[in-house]
């Protein structure tokens, strides 16, 4: 028990334990008027674990500050609050904590408070501006002493998507070779030079793919007329075909 009327006492958990003001083995809790007569139950599972459940108490049962509404597991170090009584679960053989044990003792010699170094903080902030991949920064803060040195490692993963490749918008109308003499390679080459030339971030392969997509859906003559009519922009049909090939 680390707070409440029964502070400083210990309860062995050998099997099932019911916490409440009416339990004769817990007479130290009788003075806790915020504790129900039958408040909560703790028991061991077949594999040796420990569980706790509230038994419909008036003020509820809390584990590590959160009110429980169903059976919950308990682990060493967990704190249970019922009424004005707070209990900490400790392993068998450990000394039950007392109030004094919860307060960090004063050092024998005055020591300065640990503080972040401004230069180190600035270095971490700069490092965290790097995009992509896993970003890690080690921050060291010290207090004086022959062996005292603490290191805090902060790691954050940042994923940023690369911008999708873009076609170029030709400065003048695109003129594809005349249909009478055009071969697939010639028509495709002219198309690639027009839309994946200077200013484009898409590869020639993306433009070649877009050309093939367009030819499958319309005639060469229709494609040639469409791109010839576009001045300083990428026609909608060309942009749609490029998106299908991975461009923006």
């Amino acid at each position: 028990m680390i707070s409440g009327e029964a502070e400083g006492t210990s309860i062995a958990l050998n099997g099932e334990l019911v916490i409440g003001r009416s339990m004769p083995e817990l007479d130290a809790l009788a003075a806790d008027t915020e504790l129900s007569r039958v408040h909560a139950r703790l028991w061991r599972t077949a594999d040796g674990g420990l569980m706790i459940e509230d038994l419909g108490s008036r003020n509820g049962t809390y584990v590590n500050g959160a009110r429980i509404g169903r059976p919950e597991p308990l682990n060493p170090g967990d704190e249970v609050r019922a009424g004005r009584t707070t209990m900490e679960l400790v392993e068998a053989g450990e000394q039950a904590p007392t109030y004094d044990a919860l307060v960090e003792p004063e050092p024998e010699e005055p020591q300065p408070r640990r503080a972040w170094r401004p230069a180190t903080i600035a270095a971490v902030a700069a490092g965290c501006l790097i995009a992509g991949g896993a970003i890690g920064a080690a921050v060291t803060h010290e207090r004086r002493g022959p062996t005292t040195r603490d290191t805090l490692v902060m790691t954050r993963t940042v994923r940023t998507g690369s911008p999708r490749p873009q076609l170029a918008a030709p400065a003048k109308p695109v003129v594809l070779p005349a249909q009478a003499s055009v071969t697939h390679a010639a028509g495709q080459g002219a198309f690639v030079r027009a839309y994946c030339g200077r200013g484009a971030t898409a590869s020639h392969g993306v433009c070649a793919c877009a050309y093939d997509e367009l030819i499958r859906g319309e005639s060469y003559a229709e494609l040639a007329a469409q791109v010839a009519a576009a001045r300083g922009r990428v026609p909608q049909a060309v942009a749609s075909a490029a998106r299908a090939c991975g461009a923006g």
Side-chain angles (χ1 to χ4, degrees):
M1 307 293 182
I2 60 175
S3 71
E5 282 78 357
E7 179 183 328
T9 62
S10 300
I11 302 173
L13 298 175
N14 298 319
E16 183 180 80
L17 173 69
V18 176
I19 298 172
R21 288 188 292 113
S22 65
M23 298 297 105
E25 66 271 23
L26 302 178
D27 54 353
L29 301 180
D32 188 346
T33 57
E34 295 183 12
L35 191 70
S36 296
R37 292 176 62 82
V38 179
H39 197 106
R41 180 174 75 102
L42 294 84
W43 73 97
R44 288 199 177 275
T45 60
D47 59 1
L50 195 65
M51 299 290 294
I52 183 172
E53 67 174 340
D54 183 79
L55 297 177
S57 65
R58 181 177 69 253
N59 294 319
T61 302
Y62 296 78
V63 176
N64 297 326
R67 186 167 183 167
I68 62 173
R70 60 182 181 180
E72 297 284 350
L74 285 178
N75 298 291
D78 286 347
E79 291 187 1
V80 175
R81 179 165 60 85
R84 294 191 299 269
T85 301
T86 302
M87 298 156 273
E88 181 178 353
L89 180 66
V90 297
E91 291 278 11
E94 291 184 2
Q95 182 179 1
T98 64
Y99 179 79
D100 291 340
L102 302 178
V103 180
E104 182 178 355
E106 292 293 329
E108 294 181 1
E109 297 182 2
Q111 296 182 359
R113 293 176 62 87
R114 288 178 285 180
W116 297 98
R117 295 180 178 177
T120 305
I121 296 175
V124 173
C128 290
L129 294 178
I130 303 173
I135 300 176
V139 182
T140 302
H141 52 102
E142 300 180 54
R143 59 184 179 182
R144 291 180 182 177
T147 60
T148 303
R149 182 180 182 90
D150 299 324
T151 300
L152 172 66
V153 178
M154 300 188 304
T155 302
R156 183 183 179 188
T157 299
V158 179
R159 290 186 175 88
T160 55
S162 301
R164 291 172 67 87
Q166 301 290 326
L167 302 187
K172 57 183 180 180
V174 177
V175 179
L176 297 180
Q179 186 176 9
S181 59
V182 70
T183 62
H184 179 83
Q188 186 186 73
F191 183 90
V192 168
R193 287 190 297 273
Y195 292 108
C196 281
R198 180 175 296 179
T201 57
S203 66
H204 286 192
V206 168
C207 280
C209 172
Y211 177 85
D212 292 341
E213 286 286 326
L214 290 165
I215 289 300
R216 277 196 289 269
E218 57 186 277
S219 67
Y220 180 82
E222 290 172 334
L223 173 60
Q226 187 178 51
V227 298
R231 294 179 179 273
R233 62 183 179 85
V234 178
Q236 183 61 41
V238 174
S240 297
R243 280 194 295 272
C245 294

